Amino acid sequence: MTTQRAQPAKSARLRVLGVCRISRDSEESTSIERQDEAINAWCTMQGHVLVGMVHDVGVSGNVRPSKRPELGPWLNERVSDYDIIVVWKLDRLTRNLSHFLDFRKWMAKNGKELASCQEQFDTSTPLGSFFLNILIMFAEHERETIKARIASSKTKAVKDRRYHGGTIQYGTRPAKLDGGGYVLQHDPHSSKVMKRIVDDLINGDSRQVVAANLTDEGELSPSDYQRHLMGKETKGLVWHPATITNLATSRGLLGEREENGRTIRNDDGTAALFFPPLISEDTWEELQRKLKETTKSRTLRGEKQLYADMVFCGLCGSKMYRDSINLPERGLQRDYYTCGTNSRPEKGKRLKCPAKSVQQVEFDKTANELFLSSVGHLEKRSRRVSSALDLSKDIERMRRILNDVRGERDRGDYDYPGGDEDYEMRVTALTGELRALVASHQPQTTVTYAGTGKTYTELWNEAKTLLAQRQILLDAGIQVKVIVHKVATRWEPAGFQTEMVFPEDLKARLQAVGEWPEVPTFEFVDGQMVPIQRD
């Protein structure tokens, strides 16, 4: 059974809510006063009573009616105070078709009418309601036509690999085609910066360090670089760790694009490539794995633990973790490194390592002296891994697409007015993309070392914070093994033995100057660091 909304009798005196809106107070042709006059005149002519007048000044027509500062309360809390809403023109209610259709549903639900002075309709009459429905039908048809036109344009853009607007992946820039439209291609500068970010993260640099380095070097942030490309004034925005995260986790690095949060795909379901990938799929997966390893917890531990993740038990080889004793009533607060076998046993097992814990303060002092006495005189070198960019699969795939397009022409798919131009435009775009893929193809990974001009000791002395010193140790790639043979007591200092394990590149440099394997192992005895003599 269909329930029809009762129409008020024509002779009934309706309670009128007048609605006025203006975007700028300087619009004389649609001034609030003029709208007021028109609505008052309409009420007098129709014999209705004006119970309220809404003035939304400086409010855009794209703001939803229920969200407007003056009109909103009448639509939400004061629904029973009026029968009909009267506007000077429909655009004073809203300029957004979607909002208007929602408002029409609200009218039907709450039994309200709508009248417009300029368009001369009143939904409290059958003819007025019919007229408004006709307007809505035409508006809906126009909206669907526009949506279909946009969808068709985007479909063609995807097919031609053209850029059709939206966020631009950092490392690329739009390039205009001779036949019209745009494609994305590698930007000569930002693409190198992006690849450097990827390499730094894979090499173990934290997102905080990568962001700080780019800011210190004066590198424009992605948003500022985009403004620079558009000829606009930059805002001096700095790089943030969150920016690095967003860039590093985006599949835009692989040449893909998203629409409404979903990857744009080809007819066969594969991701559509809009520009040559900045990195290979293997490198992207390695990058994601590295990002998961360098978690926030690691950085937070480093705020209190200089050697977190670098200390290992000399007996069982397990990683050692921070443990604390906190007895405020005795004024006792001490931090220790404890063997992981003891502090974190496997579930269901009670494995115990005989290794004793070592006080963090004593260990850090010993390890610092050991590190600086061993390699402090060496120049710190930055290790950079330029990841392989194997695009052979993408190149082969692009060649298949070109062959398919040529096959489409042979079948007559382009036999229509303007078809030759469409074919040439598509082939030009695909050929340009193929050339860019071939130019970016780098099947081999390369490792380079660049000098910093400063020794480890100089950098250590310049480091002002624990995190800065920790980063030096992480960059060096060292590990420390420790065996505790005497725990510190109230009367006697601890006794423990340490051995520092260096990565192969530092070993090679020490060997080159005749200092390997004479790197000493130290023992902490009676409060002093004593080198152990080798046989």
Side-chain angles (χ1 to χ4, degrees), residues 248-272:
T249 55
S250 169
R251 289 190 67 85
L253 291 171
L254 301 174
E256 301 174 10
R257 286 181 60 79
E258 291 185 348
E259 189 75 37
N260 297 323
R262 296 183 177 181
T263 301
I264 299 175
R265 299 189 177 278
N266 299 307
D267 294 339
D268 60 2
T270 58

Side-chain angles (χ1 to χ4, degrees), residues 325-339:
I325 294 178
N326 187 12
L327 299 173
E329 66 278 3
R330 296 173 53 185
L332 183 61
Q333 167 65 52
R334 289 177 182 169
D335 295 326
Y336 295 85
Y337 286 111
T338 301
C339 177

